[in-house]
PDB file of all heavy atoms in Angstrom:
ATOM      1  N   SER A 277      90.563  89.469 116.504  1.00  0.00           N
ATOM      2  CA  SER A 277      91.453  88.600 115.759  1.00  0.00           C
ATOM      3  C   SER A 277      92.830  88.445 116.585  1.00  0.00           C
ATOM      4  O   SER A 277      93.818  88.209 115.959  1.00  0.00           O
ATOM      5  CB  SER A 277      91.771  89.379 114.446  1.00  0.00           C
ATOM      6  OG  SER A 277      92.290  90.627 114.708  1.00  0.00           O
ATOM      7  N   MET A 278      92.656  88.447 117.888  1.00  0.00           N
ATOM      8  CA  MET A 278      93.829  88.259 118.578  1.00  0.00           C
ATOM      9  C   MET A 278      94.589  86.923 118.314  1.00  0.00           C
ATOM     10  O   MET A 278      95.840  86.714 118.308  1.00  0.00           O
ATOM     11  CB  MET A 278      93.674  88.371 120.087  1.00  0.00           C
ATOM     12  CG  MET A 278      93.082  89.683 120.538  1.00  0.00           C
ATOM     13  SD  MET A 278      94.362  91.001 120.343  1.00  0.00           S
ATOM     14  CE  MET A 278      95.742  90.390 121.462  1.00  0.00           C
ATOM     15  N   LEU A 281      96.835  87.093 114.932  1.00  0.00           N
ATOM     16  CA  LEU A 281      97.874  88.135 114.830  1.00  0.00           C
ATOM     17  C   LEU A 281      99.069  87.609 114.288  1.00  0.00           C
ATOM     18  O   LEU A 281      99.731  88.273 113.318  1.00  0.00           O
ATOM     19  CB  LEU A 281      98.110  88.895 116.208  1.00  0.00           C
ATOM     20  CG  LEU A 281      97.161  89.783 116.656  1.00  0.00           C
ATOM     21  CD1 LEU A 281      97.398  90.334 118.140  1.00  0.00           C
ATOM     22  CD2 LEU A 281      96.788  90.895 115.830  1.00  0.00           C
ATOM     23  N   GLU A 282      99.659  86.502 114.899  1.00  0.00           N
ATOM     24  CA  GLU A 282     100.914  85.943 114.327  1.00  0.00           C
ATOM     25  C   GLU A 282     100.838  85.536 112.832  1.00  0.00           C
ATOM     26  O   GLU A 282     101.768  85.997 112.078  1.00  0.00           O
ATOM     27  CB  GLU A 282     101.317  84.701 115.054  1.00  0.00           C
ATOM     28  CG  GLU A 282     102.684  84.137 114.702  1.00  0.00           C
ATOM     29  CD  GLU A 282     103.184  82.991 115.478  1.00  0.00           C
ATOM     30  OE1 GLU A 282     102.535  82.839 116.624  1.00  0.00           O
ATOM     31  OE2 GLU A 282     104.170  82.178 115.161  1.00  0.00           O
ATOM     32  N   MET A 284      98.683  86.928 110.614  1.00  0.00           N
ATOM     33  CA  MET A 284      98.619  88.008 109.858  1.00  0.00           C
ATOM     34  C   MET A 284      99.897  88.666 109.604  1.00  0.00           C
ATOM     35  O   MET A 284     100.205  89.044 108.399  1.00  0.00           O
ATOM     36  CB  MET A 284      97.610  89.010 110.592  1.00  0.00           C
ATOM     37  CG  MET A 284      96.159  88.522 110.741  1.00  0.00           C
ATOM     38  SD  MET A 284      95.172  89.602 111.926  1.00  0.00           S
ATOM     39  CE  MET A 284      95.070  91.073 110.839  1.00  0.00           C
ATOM     40  N   CYS A 285     100.711  88.750 110.665  1.00  0.00           N
ATOM     41  CA  CYS A 285     102.095  89.358 110.568  1.00  0.00           C
ATOM     42  C   CYS A 285     102.912  88.618 109.522  1.00  0.00           C
ATOM     43  O   CYS A 285     103.803  89.282 108.820  1.00  0.00           O
ATOM     44  CB  CYS A 285     102.748  89.540 111.848  1.00  0.00           C
ATOM     45  SG  CYS A 285     102.024  90.648 113.060  1.00  0.00           S
ATOM     46  N   LEU A 292      98.634  96.212 110.359  1.00  0.00           N
ATOM     47  CA  LEU A 292      97.328  95.585 110.832  1.00  0.00           C
ATOM     48  C   LEU A 292      96.318  96.624 111.125  1.00  0.00           C
ATOM     49  O   LEU A 292      96.669  97.514 111.959  1.00  0.00           O
ATOM     50  CB  LEU A 292      97.734  94.617 111.924  1.00  0.00           C
ATOM     51  CG  LEU A 292      98.774  93.618 111.899  1.00  0.00           C
ATOM     52  CD1 LEU A 292      98.919  92.831 113.047  1.00  0.00           C
ATOM     53  CD2 LEU A 292      98.623  92.679 110.623  1.00  0.00           C
ATOM     54  N   SER A 293      95.103  96.464 110.583  1.00  0.00           N
ATOM     55  CA  SER A 293      94.008  97.409 110.958  1.00  0.00           C
ATOM     56  C   SER A 293      93.119  96.558 111.929  1.00  0.00           C
ATOM     57  O   SER A 293      92.497  95.506 111.438  1.00  0.00           O
ATOM     58  CB  SER A 293      93.336  97.874 109.735  1.00  0.00           C
ATOM     59  OG  SER A 293      92.014  98.538 110.191  1.00  0.00           O
ATOM     60  N   LEU A 294      93.027  97.040 113.210  1.00  0.00           N
ATOM     61  CA  LEU A 294      92.392  96.114 114.217  1.00  0.00           C
ATOM     62  C   LEU A 294      91.097  96.760 114.739  1.00  0.00           C
ATOM     63  O   LEU A 294      91.067  98.028 114.834  1.00  0.00           O
ATOM     64  CB  LEU A 294      93.402  95.847 115.289  1.00  0.00           C
ATOM     65  CG  LEU A 294      94.662  95.328 114.865  1.00  0.00           C
ATOM     66  CD1 LEU A 294      95.591  95.010 116.063  1.00  0.00           C
ATOM     67  CD2 LEU A 294      94.543  93.951 114.171  1.00  0.00           C
ATOM     68  N   ASP A 295      90.249  95.879 115.114  1.00  0.00           N
ATOM     69  CA  ASP A 295      88.822  96.279 115.619  1.00  0.00           C
ATOM     70  C   ASP A 295      88.936  96.786 116.968  1.00  0.00           C
ATOM     71  O   ASP A 295      90.131  96.836 117.581  1.00  0.00           O
ATOM     72  CB  ASP A 295      87.862  95.175 115.489  1.00  0.00           C
ATOM     73  CG  ASP A 295      86.427  95.584 115.182  1.00  0.00           C
ATOM     74  OD1 ASP A 295      86.109  96.801 115.658  1.00  0.00           O
ATOM     75  OD2 ASP A 295      85.711  94.931 114.578  1.00  0.00           O
ATOM     76  N   GLY A 300      87.141  92.606 122.005  1.00  0.00           N
ATOM     77  CA  GLY A 300      88.200  91.832 122.668  1.00  0.00           C
ATOM     78  C   GLY A 300      89.618  92.037 122.215  1.00  0.00           C
ATOM     79  O   GLY A 300      90.505  91.443 122.678  1.00  0.00           O
ATOM     80  N   MET A 301      89.819  93.092 121.330  1.00  0.00           N
ATOM     81  CA  MET A 301      91.101  93.273 120.877  1.00  0.00           C
ATOM     82  C   MET A 301      91.982  94.146 122.011  1.00  0.00           C
ATOM     83  O   MET A 301      91.424  95.063 122.592  1.00  0.00           O
ATOM     84  CB  MET A 301      91.136  94.202 119.701  1.00  0.00           C
ATOM     85  CG  MET A 301      90.541  93.464 118.348  1.00  0.00           C
ATOM     86  SD  MET A 301      91.501  92.099 117.901  1.00  0.00           S
ATOM     87  CE  MET A 301      93.174  92.692 117.832  1.00  0.00           C
ATOM     88  N   ASP A 302      93.103  93.595 122.274  1.00  0.00           N
ATOM     89  CA  ASP A 302      94.108  94.262 123.200  1.00  0.00           C
ATOM     90  C   ASP A 302      95.074  94.956 122.344  1.00  0.00           C
ATOM     91  O   ASP A 302      96.019  94.491 121.817  1.00  0.00           O
ATOM     92  CB  ASP A 302      94.755  93.179 124.041  1.00  0.00           C
ATOM     93  CG  ASP A 302      95.567  93.776 125.169  1.00  0.00           C
ATOM     94  OD1 ASP A 302      96.247  94.811 124.936  1.00  0.00           O
ATOM     95  OD2 ASP A 302      95.651  93.174 126.253  1.00  0.00           O
ATOM     96  N   ILE A 303      94.955  96.346 122.244  1.00  0.00           N
ATOM     97  CA  ILE A 303      95.880  97.029 121.218  1.00  0.00           C
ATOM     98  C   ILE A 303      97.303  96.963 121.751  1.00  0.00           C
ATOM     99  O   ILE A 303      98.188  96.973 120.896  1.00  0.00           O
ATOM    100  CB  ILE A 303      95.340  98.445 121.064  1.00  0.00           C
ATOM    101  CG1 ILE A 303      95.874  99.117 119.831  1.00  0.00           C
ATOM    102  CG2 ILE A 303      95.508  99.359 122.285  1.00  0.00           C
ATOM    103  CD1 ILE A 303      95.367  98.584 118.487  1.00  0.00           C
ATOM    104  N   LYS A 304      97.510  97.182 122.988  1.00  0.00           N
ATOM    105  CA  LYS A 304      98.811  97.014 123.480  1.00  0.00           C
ATOM    106  C   LYS A 304      99.583  95.688 123.227  1.00  0.00           C
ATOM    107  O   LYS A 304     100.710  95.622 122.772  1.00  0.00           O
ATOM    108  CB  LYS A 304      98.909  97.321 125.018  1.00  0.00           C
ATOM    109  CG  LYS A 304      98.530  98.880 125.331  1.00  0.00           C
ATOM    110  CD  LYS A 304      98.602  99.119 126.785  1.00  0.00           C
ATOM    111  CE  LYS A 304      99.954  99.061 127.200  1.00  0.00           C
ATOM    112  NZ  LYS A 304     100.103  99.529 128.782  1.00  0.00           N
ATOM    113  N   LYS A 305      98.901  94.708 123.468  1.00  0.00           N
ATOM    114  CA  LYS A 305      99.370  93.302 123.231  1.00  0.00           C
ATOM    115  C   LYS A 305      99.648  93.179 121.713  1.00  0.00           C
ATOM    116  O   LYS A 305     100.611  92.633 121.250  1.00  0.00           O
ATOM    117  CB  LYS A 305      98.508  92.319 123.675  1.00  0.00           C
ATOM    118  CG  LYS A 305      99.059  90.850 123.529  1.00  0.00           C
ATOM    119  CD  LYS A 305      98.104  89.881 124.164  1.00  0.00           C
ATOM    120  CE  LYS A 305      98.044  89.997 125.586  1.00  0.00           C
ATOM    121  NZ  LYS A 305      97.180  88.778 126.333  1.00  0.00           N
ATOM    122  N   ALA A 306      98.689  93.768 120.805  1.00  0.00           N
ATOM    123  CA  ALA A 306      98.876  93.751 119.421  1.00  0.00           C
ATOM    124  C   ALA A 306     100.144  94.441 118.895  1.00  0.00           C
ATOM    125  O   ALA A 306     100.816  94.008 118.066  1.00  0.00           O
ATOM    126  CB  ALA A 306      97.567  94.264 118.746  1.00  0.00           C
ATOM    127  N   CYS A 307     100.384  95.663 119.518  1.00  0.00           N
ATOM    128  CA  CYS A 307     101.611  96.376 119.121  1.00  0.00           C
ATOM    129  C   CYS A 307     102.796  95.593 119.539  1.00  0.00           C
ATOM    130  O   CYS A 307     103.741  95.620 118.790  1.00  0.00           O
ATOM    131  CB  CYS A 307     101.561  97.740 119.845  1.00  0.00           C
ATOM    132  SG  CYS A 307     100.241  98.981 119.267  1.00  0.00           S
ATOM    133  N   LYS A 308     102.894  95.011 120.617  1.00  0.00           N
ATOM    134  CA  LYS A 308     103.958  94.211 121.057  1.00  0.00           C
ATOM    135  C   LYS A 308     104.098  92.937 120.115  1.00  0.00           C
ATOM    136  O   LYS A 308     105.348  92.696 119.719  1.00  0.00           O
ATOM    137  CB  LYS A 308     103.761  93.585 122.508  1.00  0.00           C
ATOM    138  CG  LYS A 308     103.892  94.736 123.503  1.00  0.00           C
ATOM    139  CD  LYS A 308     103.673  94.289 124.896  1.00  0.00           C
ATOM    140  CE  LYS A 308     103.648  95.360 125.934  1.00  0.00           C
ATOM    141  NZ  LYS A 308     103.293  94.760 127.359  1.00  0.00           N
ATOM    142  N   SER A 309     103.081  92.326 119.797  1.00  0.00           N
ATOM    143  CA  SER A 309     103.203  91.097 118.878  1.00  0.00           C
ATOM    144  C   SER A 309     103.665  91.636 117.469  1.00  0.00           C
ATOM    145  O   SER A 309     104.414  90.752 116.958  1.00  0.00           O
ATOM    146  CB  SER A 309     101.780  90.565 118.770  1.00  0.00           C
ATOM    147  OG  SER A 309     101.455  90.011 120.078  1.00  0.00           O
ATOM    148  N   ALA A 310     103.260  92.663 117.010  1.00  0.00           N
ATOM    149  CA  ALA A 310     103.635  93.045 115.665  1.00  0.00           C
ATOM    150  C   ALA A 310     105.083  93.444 115.511  1.00  0.00           C
ATOM    151  O   ALA A 310     105.580  93.336 114.468  1.00  0.00           O
ATOM    152  CB  ALA A 310     102.650  94.227 115.207  1.00  0.00           C
ATOM    153  N   GLY A 311     105.765  93.893 116.538  1.00  0.00           N
ATOM    154  CA  GLY A 311     107.077  94.330 116.489  1.00  0.00           C
ATOM    155  C   GLY A 311     107.224  95.675 115.799  1.00  0.00           C
ATOM    156  O   GLY A 311     106.215  96.418 115.473  1.00  0.00           O
ATOM    157  N   ASP A 312     108.439  96.171 115.649  1.00  0.00           N
ATOM    158  CA  ASP A 312     108.671  97.531 115.149  1.00  0.00           C
ATOM    159  C   ASP A 312     108.522  97.665 113.662  1.00  0.00           C
ATOM    160  O   ASP A 312     108.331  98.783 113.100  1.00  0.00           O
ATOM    161  CB  ASP A 312     110.185  97.941 115.409  1.00  0.00           C
ATOM    162  CG  ASP A 312     110.419  98.081 116.962  1.00  0.00           C
ATOM    163  OD1 ASP A 312     109.545  98.215 117.675  1.00  0.00           O
ATOM    164  OD2 ASP A 312     111.524  98.027 117.259  1.00  0.00           O
ATOM    165  N   ILE A 314     105.966  96.266 111.656  1.00  0.00           N
ATOM    166  CA  ILE A 314     104.699  96.134 111.329  1.00  0.00           C
ATOM    167  C   ILE A 314     103.854  97.225 112.017  1.00  0.00           C
ATOM    168  O   ILE A 314     103.893  97.323 113.345  1.00  0.00           O
ATOM    169  CB  ILE A 314     104.043  94.746 111.446  1.00  0.00           C
ATOM    170  CG1 ILE A 314     104.797  93.830 110.486  1.00  0.00           C
ATOM    171  CG2 ILE A 314     102.644  94.712 111.063  1.00  0.00           C
ATOM    172  CD1 ILE A 314     104.369  92.345 110.609  1.00  0.00           C
ATOM    173  N   ILE A 315     103.115  98.099 111.253  1.00  0.00           N
ATOM    174  CA  ILE A 315     102.262  99.173 111.806  1.00  0.00           C
ATOM    175  C   ILE A 315     100.978  98.541 112.423  1.00  0.00           C
ATOM    176  O   ILE A 315     100.309  97.714 111.766  1.00  0.00           O
ATOM    177  CB  ILE A 315     102.001 100.271 110.881  1.00  0.00           C
ATOM    178  CG1 ILE A 315     103.240 100.742 110.219  1.00  0.00           C
ATOM    179  CG2 ILE A 315     101.273 101.365 111.501  1.00  0.00           C
ATOM    180  CD1 ILE A 315     104.277 101.262 111.141  1.00  0.00           C
ATOM    181  N   VAL A 316     100.490  99.084 113.515  1.00  0.00           N
ATOM    182  CA  VAL A 316      99.277  98.732 114.039  1.00  0.00           C
ATOM    183  C   VAL A 316      98.332  99.970 114.018  1.00  0.00           C
ATOM    184  O   VAL A 316      98.723 101.091 114.473  1.00  0.00           O
ATOM    185  CB  VAL A 316      99.352  98.254 115.579  1.00  0.00           C
ATOM    186  CG1 VAL A 316      97.948  98.100 116.126  1.00  0.00           C
ATOM    187  CG2 VAL A 316     100.162  96.949 115.570  1.00  0.00           C
ATOM    188  N   ILE A 317      97.186  99.709 113.409  1.00  0.00           N
ATOM    189  CA  ILE A 317      96.203 100.842 113.078  1.00  0.00           C
ATOM    190  C   ILE A 317      94.966 100.619 113.826  1.00  0.00           C
ATOM    191  O   ILE A 317      94.310  99.525 113.710  1.00  0.00           O
ATOM    192  CB  ILE A 317      95.893 100.889 111.483  1.00  0.00           C
ATOM    193  CG1 ILE A 317      97.205 101.089 110.677  1.00  0.00           C
ATOM    194  CG2 ILE A 317      94.957 102.043 111.287  1.00  0.00           C
ATOM    195  CD1 ILE A 317      97.135 101.057 109.348  1.00  0.00           C
ATOM    196  N   ASN A 319      92.182 102.061 117.285  1.00  0.00           N
ATOM    197  CA  ASN A 319      90.999 101.073 117.247  1.00  0.00           C
ATOM    198  C   ASN A 319      89.863 101.589 117.982  1.00  0.00           C
ATOM    199  O   ASN A 319      89.219 100.946 118.745  1.00  0.00           O
ATOM    200  CB  ASN A 319      91.413  99.699 117.616  1.00  0.00           C
ATOM    201  CG  ASN A 319      91.733  99.598 119.090  1.00  0.00           C
ATOM    202  OD1 ASN A 319      92.093 100.408 119.801  1.00  0.00           O
ATOM    203  ND2 ASN A 319      91.492  98.267 119.649  1.00  0.00           N
ATOM    204  N   THR A 345      98.956 103.774 124.096  1.00  0.00           N
ATOM    205  CA  THR A 345      99.873 103.352 123.105  1.00  0.00           C
ATOM    206  C   THR A 345     101.088 104.121 122.974  1.00  0.00           C
ATOM    207  O   THR A 345     101.975 104.068 122.029  1.00  0.00           O
ATOM    208  CB  THR A 345      99.048 103.244 121.797  1.00  0.00           C
ATOM    209  OG1 THR A 345      98.484 104.563 121.502  1.00  0.00           O
ATOM    210  CG2 THR A 345      97.998 102.250 121.804  1.00  0.00           C
ATOM    211  N   PHE A 348     104.686 102.782 121.825  1.00  0.00           N
ATOM    212  CA  PHE A 348     104.992 102.013 120.703  1.00  0.00           C
ATOM    213  C   PHE A 348     105.221 102.833 119.575  1.00  0.00           C
ATOM    214  O   PHE A 348     104.277 103.584 119.225  1.00  0.00           O
ATOM    215  CB  PHE A 348     103.679 101.108 120.471  1.00  0.00           C
ATOM    216  CG  PHE A 348     103.413 100.167 121.622  1.00  0.00           C
ATOM    217  CD1 PHE A 348     102.261 100.371 122.447  1.00  0.00           C
ATOM    218  CD2 PHE A 348     104.269  99.089 121.945  1.00  0.00           C
ATOM    219  CE1 PHE A 348     102.062  99.528 123.499  1.00  0.00           C
ATOM    220  CE2 PHE A 348     103.994  98.163 122.871  1.00  0.00           C
ATOM    221  CZ  PHE A 348     103.012  98.473 123.733  1.00  0.00           C
ATOM    222  N   ASN A 350     105.189 102.009 116.511  1.00  0.00           N
ATOM    223  CA  ASN A 350     104.432 101.330 115.418  1.00  0.00           C
ATOM    224  C   ASN A 350     102.942 101.666 115.408  1.00  0.00           C
ATOM    225  O   ASN A 350     102.215 100.815 114.742  1.00  0.00           O
ATOM    226  CB  ASN A 350     104.797  99.917 115.212  1.00  0.00           C
ATOM    227  CG  ASN A 350     104.305  99.167 116.399  1.00  0.00           C
ATOM    228  OD1 ASN A 350     104.227  99.681 117.605  1.00  0.00           O
ATOM    229  ND2 ASN A 350     103.970  97.949 116.223  1.00  0.00           N
ATOM    230  N   PHE A 351     102.477 102.676 115.998  1.00  0.00           N
ATOM    231  CA  PHE A 351     101.100 102.854 116.093  1.00  0.00           C
ATOM    232  C   PHE A 351     100.517 103.996 115.307  1.00  0.00           C
ATOM    233  O   PHE A 351     101.095 105.151 115.172  1.00  0.00           O
ATOM    234  CB  PHE A 351     100.669 103.062 117.580  1.00  0.00           C
ATOM    235  CG  PHE A 351      99.220 103.371 117.859  1.00  0.00           C
ATOM    236  CD1 PHE A 351      98.308 102.286 117.732  1.00  0.00           C
ATOM    237  CD2 PHE A 351      98.616 104.642 118.035  1.00  0.00           C
ATOM    238  CE1 PHE A 351      96.913 102.573 117.921  1.00  0.00           C
ATOM    239  CE2 PHE A 351      97.381 104.778 118.321  1.00  0.00           C
ATOM    240  CZ  PHE A 351      96.434 103.897 118.238  1.00  0.00           C
TER     241      PHE A 351
END
Side-chain angles (χ1 to χ4, degrees):
S277 57
M278 294 298 295
L281 286 179
E282 183 178 350
M284 292 169 73
C285 292
L292 309 178
S293 171
L294 304 179
D295 212 334
M301 291 304 302
D302 184 331
I303 198 72
K304 294 180 69 174
K305 187 177 290 186
C307 288
K308 291 176 183 176
S309 299
D312 293 340
I314 296 181
I315 306 305
V316 173
I317 302 172
N319 70 333
T345 54
F348 302 106
N350 59 330
F351 179 72

